[in-house]
Amino acid sequence: MKNINDAPFLKELKDTTANMYRLGYDERNGGNISRMLDEDEVAEYLDLNNVIRTIPTGFSAPELAGRIFIVTGTGKYFKNVKDDPETNLGIIRITPDGCTAELLWGFKDGGRFTSELPAHLMSHIARLSVDPSNRIIMHCHPDYTLAMTRVHEMDERAVTRTLWKMMTESIVVFPEGVGILPWMVCGTNAIGEATAEKMKKYRIVLWTLHGIYGCGKDMDEAFGLIETVEKAAKQYILTAGLPQVNTITDENLRDLAARFELDYRRDFLDL
Ligand code: 2HA
Ligand code: ZN
């Protein structure tokens, strides 16, 4: 059995949480990440018959029976993951009835998975139904995205148009636009269900006055989506209220979409 501290998926999560903390996306215990793992990948490092303890998830996700996830812990700080992954992260397997998580590694201090597990697992189900290659669900609190949800009309078409027009790369990176939820109580099954519903159509979901969800086949895709939205939101906040001398027009967006052969939300353009 190999040492789990050498596992690439653990190194990736340590690097990603440290990076996101440094960027200011995850203050205190803000943010959470889950990554689905293949059984073979985990079996190199852990005895899959050794269940440390079981933790009820509080909802039923039979679609994920037997699926294994590495996930950040509730109340844990991203800044601390790198130095103590075994306390701040856990590897869980969903039981056949989909209601319980079997802890295979981690949460060493008796802790448990993120309070946003419903949003994560329900979003995994939603994404897998439209993209079987999806592995990552990522949530964080980046400043400019959050600020934008305070001052911008929170309509999917309107927000997407603003983000697309802030910088040329936006429509290339998220041609399907961004999904939006109104302010809701977090950590509940209700916000999990609402997020997952949006995830069937979008890889980015904004939680008004809270933060952002991203997903992807790997950490780069999920993080890349979030940092691109955050960059566009930064342009918006830096220039909101100033005269808009130069703009990206709807015709420009259409031309970009043609050049990059994008499958984009044509109904989000006024053409
Ligand atoms: O885990 O970000 O949404 C802390 C949060 C809750
Ligand atoms: Zn949050």
Side-chain angles (χ1 to χ4, degrees):
M1 194 80 56
K2 295 192 207 164
N3 183 337
I4 189 152
N5 292 311
D6 299 329
F9 56 79
L10 190 57
K11 176 173 171 18
E12 184 182 50
L13 209 49
K14 288 193 289 186
D15 290 346
T16 303
T17 47
N19 182 37
M20 291 172 76
Y21 174 70
R22 281 277 148 233
L23 286 168
Y25 290 11
D26 298 276
E27 78 293 344
R28 200 173 179 274
N29 63 320
N32 23 77
I33 302 178
S34 60
R35 181 203 209 276
M36 201 168 86
L37 298 168
D38 294 334
E39 204 175 280
D40 294 350
E41 198 176 13
V42 189
E44 288 183 44
Y45 303 97
L46 295 177
D47 174 0
L48 296 179
N49 295 317
N50 183 25
V51 175
I52 299 168
R53 56 193 158 96
T54 59
I55 315 171
T57 60
F59 60 95
S60 171
E63 298 89 337
L64 297 177
R67 297 283 202 176
I68 302 174
F69 298 90
I70 183 164
V71 59
T72 50
T74 184
K76 299 294 191 269
Y77 294 20
F78 271 25
K79 81 178 176 62
N80 296 336
V81 171
K82 208 173 179 79
D83 287 337
D84 189 1
E86 200 173 350
T87 300
N88 294 289
L89 304 175
I91 296 179
I92 57 171
R93 179 175 55 206
I94 306 302
T95 51
D97 65 358
C99 297
T100 302
E102 296 174 322
L103 183 65
L104 301 175
W105 175 87
F107 301 145
K108 202 175 63 177
D109 62 351
R112 49 186 282 151
F113 40 72
T114 167
S115 59
E116 302 294 0
L117 196 75
H120 279 256
L121 293 194
M122 292 176 195
S123 292
H124 275 287
I125 294 170
R127 284 313 300 173
L128 288 169
S129 73
V130 294
D131 174 12
S133 71
N134 196 80
R135 292 292 176 272
I136 312 282
I137 301 290
M138 181 183 280
H139 165 65
C140 58
H141 305 158
D143 287 314
Y144 292 94
T145 303
L146 210 43
M148 187 173 176
T149 73
R150 176 169 299 276
V151 297
H152 198 286
E153 174 196 1
M154 288 310 278
D155 166 79
E156 288 171 351
R157 186 176 190 274
V159 170
T160 298
R161 285 175 60 76
T162 298
L163 294 171
W164 281 354
K165 285 168 178 262
M166 283 302 130
M167 54 186 216
T168 303
E169 283 292 310
S170 286
I171 192 172
V172 180
V173 176
F174 47 96
E176 76 272 47
V178 298
I180 293 179
L181 294 189
W183 186 88
M184 292 176 75
V185 175
C186 55
T188 61
N189 289 352
I191 203 168
E193 284 158 15
T195 306
E197 197 51 41
K198 293 291 178 192
M199 282 278 179
K200 291 180 188 162
K201 261 190 7 208
Y202 301 103
R203 290 169 300 154
I204 288 281
V205 180
L206 304 186
W207 282 8
T208 300
L209 298 172
H210 183 138
I212 185 167
Y213 267 78
C215 65
K217 63 182 180 311
D218 56 28
M219 216 59 98
D220 275 353
E221 183 185 0
F223 179 74
L225 281 164
I226 288 175
E227 68 173 339
T228 306
V229 168
E230 172 65 356
K231 181 128 188 164
K234 184 173 182 177
Q235 302 307 306
Y236 172 73
I237 295 296
L238 289 175
T239 59
L242 295 174
Q244 304 288 304
V245 179
N246 305 302
T247 59
I248 295 175
T249 65
D250 286 58
E251 287 77 12
N252 295 154
L253 291 170
R254 181 195 56 203
D255 294 347
L256 273 169
R259 162 68 183 84
F260 290 95
E261 298 177 4
L262 303 176
D263 180 13
Y264 72 112
R265 282 295 294 265
R266 286 173 175 71
D267 58 321
F268 281 4
L269 296 188
D270 284 331
L271 287 173

